Structure formats: structure tokens, C-alpha cells
Amino acid sequence: MIFDGSMHQLPDTDPGETAEWLDSLDAIVDVQGKTRARYLLSRLLERARESQVSFPATVSTPYVNSIPREQEPWFPGDEHIERRIRAYIRWNAAVMVVRANTNAEGIGGHLSTFASSASLYEVGFNHFFRGKDSGTPGDHIYFQGHAAPGVYARAFIERRLDEDDLDHFRREIGRNGRGLSSYPHPRLMPEFWEFPTVSMGLGPLTALYHARFNRYLQNRQLDDTSASRVWAFLGDGECDEPETLGSISLAAREQLDNLTFVVNCNLQRLDGPVRGNGKIIQELEAVFRGAGWNVIKVIWGSKWDELLARDTTGVLLNKMNNTVDGEFQRYIIENGNYIRENFFGPDPRLREMVSHLSDEELEMLPRGGHDYRKLFAAFKAASENIGSGRPTAILCKTVKGWTLGHEIEGRNATHQIKKMTDEQLRTLRDTLHLNDEIPDSALSGDDPPYFRPAEDSIEYQYMMERRRALGGSVPKRTTTARKPLVLPSPDAFSEFDSGSGEQAVSTTMVFTRLLRNMARDKVFGQRVVPIIPDEARTFGMDSLFRELKIYASQGQKYEPVDHALLLSYAESTSGQILEEGITEAGSMASFIAAGTSYATRGVPMVPFYTFYSMFGFQRVGDLIWQAADARTRGFLLGATAGRTTLMGEGLQHQDGHSLLLASTVPFCQAYDPAFAYEVAAIVKNGLNRMYGDAPEDIFYYITLYNENYQMPARPTSPVIEADIVQGLYKWQEATGGKHRATILFSGAAQGAARAAAAELLEKYDVGIDLWSATSYKTLREEALEVERWNRLHPTDAPRQPLVTRLLSDAPNPFSPIVAVTDFMRAVPEQVARFIPGRSFTPLGTDGMGRSDTREALRQHFEVDMPHVVVTVLHQLALAGTIKSEVVQSAITAYAINPEGISPLYS
């Protein structure tokens, strides 16, 4: 129990009375000891809370169960039948992993995680987890990734999976891709898993923001989420990941009493103890309680209750408090005599306390995470916590590899064990009391057998009745729209067709206006979810504050300093903008929650997450990969994009590679638009693809720039929208010139490209075809598919990639191509090999950013107009079209230093 020492700053209105209290405490310590003193202080604090005397909560409590035996609720189930069901599931989970590794050595899988957490899951399956069969969304359950074998094993007994399915655990190729994925992956099993969790730390983070998004939907009256609880299962070792605990204060701040973390504290991570020299449960309790959570500790099983009741002097409690986790792990692998001598033996009072217990009985003193009634009490308390405003963390002490036998349980290497010997399997069978179901003869074959009780068995009937009562089997992913989405009117996009006239605007400003147009749509607008990580003013999006308002679960309790201004900071319980603060990880978690709402809630929402492009893929790439796995739909907007467009900010802020990182995510549609009408066309296309008649589980990444320039009108071609989204279209035909070349531009590089085209025609008699390359990723992926088709159909007429067809259809098919971008050269190089017969030279911003003006930066990275001109002339000279002296004269005329240091290394 921790006090901060600040009491001396408070006024003492009766020093004499204070001295009497302090003297009494001193006497208690002197006569009855510190344990008695701690007890009395705890009782005083408890009475203070009952009397509504405000006092900061203590952040740690003694190392005992939070719910004492006398407060445990009545258990409504049949514990014997549920124990039998758990035994079947445990057996099948282990056998599935063993058979997988016997048939394919090294295929992997995990035995010990589910073995330690089976009871945690089964109490939920039988009594708490609500399903979707009634047409409601049910609960949202984030299963710990390494426990997947146990979830498959239960689905097998429920007849949702068959034996062939289990035999294809981690064998996803073949059977039309119907193998069982290694971990929870909705991308691979879209009708089964809902939430990807195995990249450690991301499951807890996304679960937390999911619970907050449910409250967002509720407060905005878009969906009634009051009957849904978010359960997140995680490991104690996983809590070392910053993402796991980094946002827990938000859950308390937002009063997310619809959220429960269940932490499997088996005291082990992959290589060894989580806190060998400490106590992870006490540490986590302090962290969660300090953040404002309700914490329920389930440390000791029922057989400890008698011993604790006899502990009238507190000696047992003191031993529990002072024993470190490394010692507790040692007791798991040692015999009863070792436990007697080392845990109970040093103190004669402790030794006497267990004198009536045999060594075998000492070995069987269980941890709380394996005691079904203790777990039921904890889960019930968490479920009844609604209305408290406090999220709940249940800390369950377990044994890693529990029931798998002495050679596996509690060992440092247990996480890596994938196979079991025949003798180890017999031990497991005997421990689970499955001798009748699995006789010795059944273990004599090549593969140990699965066991599934008959459909008319009492275990199966009980199991299915419990699930029917709770709304059907889980996990189950559905995409039925309970509240269908109507796309916005075309008017939201058409205003950008005419360009900006004489006004110079940035594509960031264009998007902000487009976002406002969509949010104003009377039918579609309420489904728009703007997400911003505390950079709205940087992006010019603060104009949306007063109109859309910032979501705040408790409203705005103050008058902001800018209340009289048009762009004031306006918060509301029904606010539309998720202003997340400085957390890209939290913002991505909100993006995932909103972008999967079509499946988790049956309520399609359209998230637009706008962020500093440098702090997107580079910072939260793992979450973006998770978004793809979760089949998230929505828009990522990389604002202040480009390594030279964001002037002055320097190395850490200037993004020249997010498009390259985006190319690694298959279901991410990445675009780099230059003009207002392109931005509008891409967003319109994305809405149709993700939310139209045949929705696709994809998301978009669109770069936005903060450089102002006049936006041209949309070309009049009737297929211009299709041209834009296909990735490349001819923006301007060459209007003369003795020689010809092609320049491809993207994003803010349009300025240098257009200036270079004019310069080349005027001074060097070179006509330039200007092409807008909106998406090299799209072009590359289409080309790869064509290449694959040609390879697999060698006797058919070969097909041509789109980029090949477009750039081969030129007046001079051998004229050079120069591609200029504000990103690394590797971005346009994605298509270089698909353009045979023409030289292809990319100009990009390879190297680290630095602070300066746009003009200086573009000169430094060699992507300004003079360098584009010189590059085109150089390629013409290499082709023999012009003389090398022309190139040299241009270098001299533009004062380019040929001996300057390359920007790649400077």
C-alpha cells in the first residue's frame, strides 16, 4: 500500500488528536506487529470508503484472492459435467498439435498456453460469452493467439469442425484454403475468427479501443451497444509490450465498464520467468489500480481457503507476500517434501499448519486460475461491474502446461514443446480421467485419437444447451448488415471537377472540404468517422471542430479558451470526430474498430484516419498489418506527405517512403494523387469498392500534401475516373518539339514535371507527354498478375500489363521515360521492368530529410525542374537523339554541381 507523503502539506486542525492516533498506531506496531497494523489500516480505509470519505485508493493489496470464500456466489452449473467437457477439449487441443508436428516436423503450434488457460475460457464459454445467433452482435472476445488450439478443439466437439479440419491445423494450402490458421486470423478464416491477436500487445490495445468505439456508437445513437461486453485474454508476459498497458488510463477515463481484461498469469514467457525476482500479479495490480481499473485477483484455489482461515497470526499471508515468482515456479516442478521444507518448513508455525497434509496433497494445492468456482466468481463480478465506470482486470494465477505432465508443466522450455511421447500422452489421459474414452489400445497406433462425445451424450447436450442459452457458438464472424449504409450523393465529389481557378490550395485542404461534404450528407454523413491524432490544426482540419464536434464521453465540462472563435475546440457526447491525442497506435486501434464495425456490429462505419504520413506505416506498421488481417475497411490519409513538400520540419518528419511500406500490404490500395479531382475520384471509388453492392475487404492509403498550387479542372474524358484509379493516365499530350520524351509525375512532384515539360519544349525542342501516376502499387500488382497468367498459360497468346500497354502506345515507342516523385525512387521503380524497349529513369528523394525551404530541398534531392530537365536530356543523349554537349550545357546553365555529394549519403 503506497502513500505519497503529501499529508504534511494539509492543515492539521487538531494536532492533539492527531498525536493520539499516531501513538495508537505506534503501540499496535510495537505490541502486535506490522501485519496487525496493516490490517487495521486496511479496515479503516474500507470504512472510510463506506462513509464516502474521499481518499486515494491503494494500488496494491495482499497476495490473496480479491473475492473471499464467504463472498463467492452460488455456482449455477454442473461442475462435474463441465470438468468432463474441459477434459475432452484439453485432450483434443493437445492431440491436434501433436498430430500436426508428427505429420509435418516443425509445423509448430502451442500446447502449454491453452493448457494453462482452459478453465479461463471454459467458464466464459459456459456462462458468460454471448453469441450472435439471436441477431444481436453479442460479446466481442479477443482470444489469446497462442490458445487457438483450445478454441478449435471446442468447435470440434460442437460439430463446427470435423477431424479432417483438425488434421489441417497449420496446413492452409490445399482443400481450397480451408485449413485451420495457426492463430486467430479473420483474413484466413473469415467466418470463424473476428479479431487478430497474436502480434503481442495489439489484441489488448484494439480490444480497449473497441470498447470505447462501442460507447461512441451508443452515445451517437447509431447502435445500442449496451448488451455487448468486450473480453480480452492476454498473457502476463504480453504485458511487457508497450501497446498492452500503454492506453489503459484511457479505459478508466472513458469509464469503460464494458471492458474486461483476463490476464493469464502463468508467470512464464517464452524463455523463462516473467518476473523471477518479483511478483508480476502484484505489479500488474498496481498498474491497473493506479490507472483506475477494478482489479480482481484469482491467485489461490479452494484448497488454500482452509489454510488461510487458520492463519490467525498472518504468517502464511506474509510468506505469500514475500515469495517471488521464481520460487513459486520451482514449487511446481518439485515434489511435496520440497514444498514442505522450503515454503512451509522454515517457520515452525507454517510447518504445523500443514502437518495434516501429505506430500501428495501439498503438490495438489492449486492455483486460482485452475479453480472453476473461483473463476466463475471473478467473471460474474466483472460482468456485474456495469455502472461502476471502471473497466476490470482479472489476474489469474495458473501453471503453464497444466495437466500436460511433470516433464512439461512449469518448465522454462514448455512454450516451445510441440510433441509428446506415448508415455506423456498416457499421463495426460490419466490426469484428465479419460481412461474409458481413450483406452491403451487407442494409443498404440501412429496417431493418438481425437475424442468427441456422441450427440446424445449428456456432455454434448449440456455444452450445446449452454451455448444456445447464451446466443450461439463463438467465435463466429458475420457480415450481415443490421443497419445498411447508403453511399453519399455524387454532389459531394462534383465540386472538385472544375479545379480551384486562381486560388492555390493543397490536396490536404481539398480532402478536408471533401470530408465535410460527406459528413453533411443527410443519409451517409452520420456514418463518417474522422480520426485525428492531435494534428487537426496542422492539417487545416480545425474548421471541422465546431461543425462536427469532438467526441467526449462526458461532454465538455469547461468553456474553452477559444470559445468565442469560429474554430473553437468543441466537445460533445455526440461528437463525431475522434480526436485521439498524440497516439498513432490508439488512432489505428480506433480505425480498426470503426472499419470492422460492419462485421462486429452489422453497422458499417467509414473511418477517415488522417495523420502525419511519416508517423503512419513507419510507426504503426504492425497495426496496419493487423487491420488488413481483420478485414478493415476505411481510409488512411497520410497528410504532410513527401520528403520535400513538408518544409522546415527535418529528418524525423519528412516522409519519403510510406508508399513503399504501403506496397508490402496486399489489401492496401495506395494512391499518391496530385490534383483535387483525383482525390475526389479515388475516395469515391474506395467507397464504392468497400461499401457498394459487392463490398471488398480492403482499405485505402492516400497521400495528401500541404503545398498550395492551383488545381486544374478534371479532364473531360468520360472514363477519367477509371483512368485515375487504374494508376496511370495521360494528363497532357506533347504539343510539338523535334524530340519526344515522357515524364510521369505523382503528388506534389507535378510542379517540377510541368515546369520541366515547358522548359524542355521552349529551350531544347523536346515535346513531353505528361502522365499522372496515381498508384504505382496498383500498376505493379496488375502487372504481376498478368505475368503470372502468362507463365501458367505458355501456349496461349500472352497478355500485356496495363502499364506496358499505356506506355508502349507512344508516337515514339523508344523515347525515354523519366518518373519524378517526392518519395524514394523505389516507388516508381516498381513498374520499371514492365516497360520493355524504353529507358526508365526514376527521380526521387532517397536519403534522410532535413530542414529547409521546398526549393532548397528539391534542389538537394535532385527532383526540381532543372534536374528533371537534365535527366530527360541525358536519356535522349544516351539514345543518340541529341549530343552530350547539350546535357553539359544544361548542367552549366542550371548551376548544378556535378561533384556535389549524393543526397542518398549526405
Side-chain angles (χ1 to χ4, degrees):
M1 301 179 184
I2 302 171
F3 299 91
D4 61 10
S6 63
M7 294 302 169
H8 68 278
Q9 300 181 53
L10 303 179
D12 188 347
T13 59
D14 191 338
E17 183 180 35
T18 302
E20 290 176 8
W21 278 89
L22 294 176
D23 290 342
S24 297
L25 177 63
D26 290 341
I28 291 292
V29 173
D30 291 341
V31 177
Q32 300 188 49
K34 296 179 180 179
T35 299
R36 175 64 179 168
R38 278 193 292 267
Y39 174 80
L40 288 174
L41 288 172
S42 298
R43 291 301 301 270
L44 284 171
L45 289 172
E46 184 178 15
R47 179 58 60 86
R49 284 192 294 271
E50 293 171 354
S51 303
Q52 298 183 343
V53 176
S54 177
F55 194 83
T58 56
V59 296
S60 64
T61 61
Y63 198 64
V64 292
N65 297 336
S66 300
I67 302 175
R69 178 173 59 181
E70 57 272 18
Q71 293 182 17
E72 290 176 14
W74 171 73
F75 179 69
D78 187 311
E79 191 169 5
H80 173 72
I81 294 177
E82 293 188 30
R83 186 182 298 111
R84 298 301 296 161
I85 293 169
R86 286 202 307 278
Y88 302 153
I89 293 171
R90 285 181 179 277
W91 174 262
N92 288 327
V95 166
M96 183 182 69
V97 175
V98 169
R99 285 171 65 145
N101 284 271
T102 300
N103 296 324
E105 181 73 33
I107 200 72
H110 299 276
L111 294 164
S112 59
T113 296
F114 179 73
S116 69
S117 56
S119 295
L120 279 59
Y121 288 110
E122 281 303 299
V123 75
F125 277 120
N126 286 319
H127 300 282
F128 297 100
F129 299 159
R130 285 168 286 197
K132 305 172 183 287
D133 287 1
S134 61
T136 61
D139 286 347
H140 310 299
I141 309 159
Y142 287 70
F143 294 93
Q144 189 179 3
H146 293 98
V151 183
Y152 292 140
R154 168 173 262 269
F156 170 67
I157 296 178
E158 292 176 335
R159 270 61 178 179
R160 298 173 66 199
L161 299 175
D162 58 30
E163 185 168 325
D164 191 45
D165 290 322
L166 297 195
D167 279 342
H168 282 82
F169 173 59
R170 295 194 168 212
R171 303 294 294 272
E172 297 175 86
I173 309 302
R175 290 204 323 158
N176 296 317
R178 291 186 299 108
L180 301 187
S181 60
S182 53
Y183 305 113
H185 293 302
R187 179 61 65 178
L188 302 175
M189 297 179 66
E191 296 177 357
F192 193 87
W193 294 116
E194 289 190 279
F195 309 111
T197 56
V198 80
S199 185
M200 292 193 184
L202 301 194
L205 177 71
T206 49
L208 190 156
Y209 278 86
H210 189 164
R212 200 279 295 267
F213 190 74
N214 277 1
R215 288 289 169 82
Y216 171 90
L217 293 174
Q218 180 90 18
N219 287 334
R220 291 192 59 210
Q221 300 182 359
L222 296 172
D223 191 30
D224 182 2
T225 63
S226 59
S228 295
R229 173 168 289 277
V230 177
W231 300 86
F233 288 80
L234 53 147
D236 48 358
E238 187 175 3
C239 292
D240 285 341
E241 290 284 2
E243 293 87 350
T244 301
L245 302 178
S247 294
I248 62 171
S249 62
L250 172 76
R253 212 163 51 241
E254 295 284 319
Q255 300 183 359
L256 300 181
D257 49 20
N258 60 338
L259 172 66
T260 299
F261 276 13
V262 182
V263 187
N264 176 16
C265 298
N266 58 39
L267 313 188
Q268 288 183 247
R269 49 191 178 205
L270 276 64
D271 291 335
V274 177
R275 295 289 185 274
N277 296 313
K279 300 174 81 67
I280 186 61
I281 290 177
Q282 298 300 88
E283 179 182 322
L284 292 177
E285 179 191 28
V287 171
F288 281 108
R289 285 172 65 94
W293 286 52
N294 171 45
V295 177
I296 303 173
K297 295 192 293 190
V298 188
I299 300 176
W300 308 107
S302 298
K303 293 181 179 179
W304 286 90
D305 288 338
E306 178 191 351
L307 298 179
L308 286 166
R310 297 170 62 185
D311 184 31
T312 56
T313 63
V315 62
L316 177 58
L317 178 60
N318 188 59
K319 184 66 175 180
M320 291 173 167
N321 285 333
N322 293 327
T323 302
V324 297
D325 287 351
E327 290 180 295
F328 279 125
Q329 286 302 90
R330 180 73 181 274
Y331 296 138
I332 291 300
I333 69 166
E334 296 291 351
N335 58 34
N337 181 63
Y338 182 91
I339 297 170
R340 187 185 305 276
E341 294 299 323
N342 291 274
F343 185 79
F344 296 101
D347 191 304
R349 294 169 295 177
L350 281 177
R351 182 181 286 271
E352 175 60 27
M353 190 180 295
V354 295
S355 61
H356 65 294
L357 297 178
S358 67
D359 287 350
E360 291 73 17
E361 288 173 320
L362 290 181
E363 292 178 35
M364 296 304 295
L365 288 173
R367 292 183 177 180
H370 303 302
D371 190 302
Y372 211 60
R373 289 178 179 267
K374 301 290 187 186
L375 291 171
F376 177 84
F379 277 54
K380 189 171 190 294
S383 298
E384 294 174 350
N385 192 44
I386 291 292
S388 72
R390 300 172 68 195
T392 296
I394 304 175
L395 309 179
C396 308
K397 189 176 182 181
T398 65
V399 176
K400 195 158 191 175
W402 180 247
T403 74
L404 294 180
H406 185 69
E407 296 177 353
I408 299 176
E409 290 176 347
R411 304 286 174 173
N412 281 338
T414 185
H415 187 83
Q416 304 300 330
I417 296 174
K418 322 292 183 186
K419 299 174 71 173
M420 299 175 71
T421 65
D422 291 346
E423 188 58 38
Q424 288 171 334
L425 285 168
R426 286 189 180 87
T427 300
L428 173 61
R429 179 204 58 186
D430 296 346
T431 301
L432 299 176
H433 303 288
L434 295 178
N435 303 72
D436 292 338
E437 293 83 354
I438 306 167
D440 285 343
S441 59
L443 296 176
S444 60
D446 293 336
D447 287 324
Y450 300 115
F451 177 77
R452 183 158 63 178
E455 291 188 39
D456 61 356
S457 68
I458 188 171
E459 292 89 353
Y460 178 80
Q461 293 295 323
Y462 181 95
M463 182 183 197
M464 299 309 293
E465 184 278 327
R466 292 308 309 141
R467 288 315 313 159
R468 282 191 294 271
L470 289 165
S473 296
V474 291
K476 179 189 290 186
R477 183 178 180 275
T478 62
T479 57
T480 302
R482 295 168 48 242
K483 298 183 179 182
L485 176 71
V486 178
L487 293 178
S489 164
D491 294 343
F493 309 94
S494 59
E495 77 162 90
F496 305 101
D497 293 351
S498 58
S500 63
E502 297 300 316
Q503 182 183 7
V505 298
S506 67
T507 52
T508 301
M509 295 168 62
V510 167
F511 169 72
T512 299
R513 189 171 184 87
L514 174 59
L515 182 65
R516 185 173 60 187
N517 289 354
M518 291 186 290
R520 286 177 174 176
D521 188 283
K522 292 182 179 179
V523 179
F524 174 80
Q526 63 180 348
R527 302 294 184 93
V528 172
V529 184
I531 303 172
I532 309 167
D534 202 37
E535 289 283 4
R537 298 185 193 278
T538 302
F539 308 146
M541 300 178 73
D542 46 340
S543 60
L544 302 176
F545 286 170
R546 175 166 282 189
E547 180 174 351
L548 302 184
K549 294 186 172 52
I550 297 163
Y551 173 71
S553 60
Q554 295 156 59
Q556 192 162 28
K557 301 177 180 179
Y558 63 97
E559 186 173 71
V561 294
D562 56 3
H563 67 277
L565 301 180
L566 180 63
L567 305 182
S568 63
Y569 196 84
E571 298 179 281
S572 169
T573 54
S574 59
Q576 193 162 355
I577 300 170
L578 288 175
E579 220 290 1
E580 298 292 14
I582 306 175
T583 168
E584 285 81 8
S587 299
M588 267 305 301
S590 283
F591 175 77
I592 293 171
T596 57
S597 183
Y598 73 94
T600 61
R601 305 291 318 167
V603 182
M605 302 295 290
V606 188
F608 291 88
Y609 169 30
T610 310
F611 52 90
Y612 238 118
S613 66
M614 185 67 161
F615 306 136
F617 283 82
Q618 176 165 297
R619 172 165 284 183
V620 291
D622 202 7
L623 279 157
I624 292 174
W625 190 262
Q626 183 189 30
D629 190 350
R631 297 176 170 262
T632 306
R633 301 172 186 169
F635 295 88
L636 299 173
L637 292 307
T640 59
R643 188 149 282 155
T644 69
T645 309
L646 179 63
M647 60 180 177
E649 286 298 303
L651 183 151
Q652 190 62 49
H653 289 71
Q654 292 168 342
D655 168 34
H657 50 277
S658 66
L659 286 169
L660 197 61
L661 298 175
S663 71
T664 66
V665 184
F667 298 96
C668 173
Q669 314 302 304
Y671 285 89
D672 189 19
F675 306 124
Y677 68 83
E678 291 181 347
V679 174
I682 292 165
V683 171
K684 183 179 179 181
N685 172 260
L687 289 173
N688 283 320
R689 288 186 66 183
M690 293 184 287
Y691 301 95
D693 294 335
E696 301 175 56
D697 295 340
I698 56 177
F699 60 90
Y700 277 59
Y701 175 56
I702 304 174
T703 56
L704 301 173
Y705 297 84
N706 69 341
E707 180 178 8
N708 296 331
Y709 47 87
Q710 293 176 5
M711 294 291 166
R714 190 175 87 161
T716 57
S717 167
V719 295
I720 184 59
E721 288 191 5
D723 289 344
I724 291 169
V725 298
Q726 74 182 4
L728 180 69
Y729 69 98
K730 184 181 287 187
W731 186 74
Q732 179 178 288
E733 185 96 33
T735 56
K738 177 181 178 181
H739 312 293
R740 296 295 289 271
T742 296
I743 296 177
L744 314 184
F745 64 82
S746 305
Q750 59 84 31
R754 293 165 68 185
E759 185 87 350
L760 284 161
L761 180 61
E762 178 184 348
K763 294 185 177 180
Y764 299 99
D765 203 17
V766 179
I768 297 295
D769 291 322
L770 285 172
W771 292 71
S772 177
T774 55
S775 178
Y776 287 109
K777 183 178 191 289
T778 300
L779 294 171
R780 174 181 177 269
E781 289 174 351
E782 190 271 348
L784 290 173
E785 288 300 294
V786 170
E787 183 180 62
R788 175 180 180 271
W789 190 94
N790 289 339
R791 184 174 68 249
L792 298 177
H793 299 80
T795 61
D796 292 338
R799 299 174 179 177
Q800 270 197 327
L802 174 66
V803 66
T804 307
R805 297 199 308 272
L806 291 175
L807 294 179
S808 295
D809 185 18
N812 181 355
F814 301 105
S815 61
I817 299 171
V818 173
V820 59
T821 175
D822 210 11
F823 284 79
M824 295 174 64
R825 282 169 286 186
V827 175
E829 278 176 347
Q830 292 177 86
V831 301
R833 70 184 182 88
F834 300 109
I835 312 172
R838 300 186 69 180
S839 67
F840 185 94
T841 308
L843 295 178
T845 54
D846 295 64
M848 285 186 160
R850 56 189 60 205
S851 301
D852 216 308
T853 64
R854 290 192 184 107
E855 294 74 18
L857 289 168
R858 287 167 182 169
Q859 182 183 45
H860 168 76
F861 283 105
E862 301 174 359
V863 292
D864 59 353
M865 180 274 289
H867 281 91
V868 177
V869 169
V870 168
T871 303
V872 170
L873 294 175
H874 181 244
Q875 291 303 310
L876 289 169
L878 291 177
T881 305
I882 65 173
K883 294 183 178 180
S884 299
E885 286 77 9
V886 177
V887 185
Q888 183 60 57
S889 67
I891 292 172
T892 302
Y894 296 124
I896 295 174
N897 178 11
E899 308 306 323
I901 300 175
S902 165
L904 181 60
Y905 302 111
S906 62

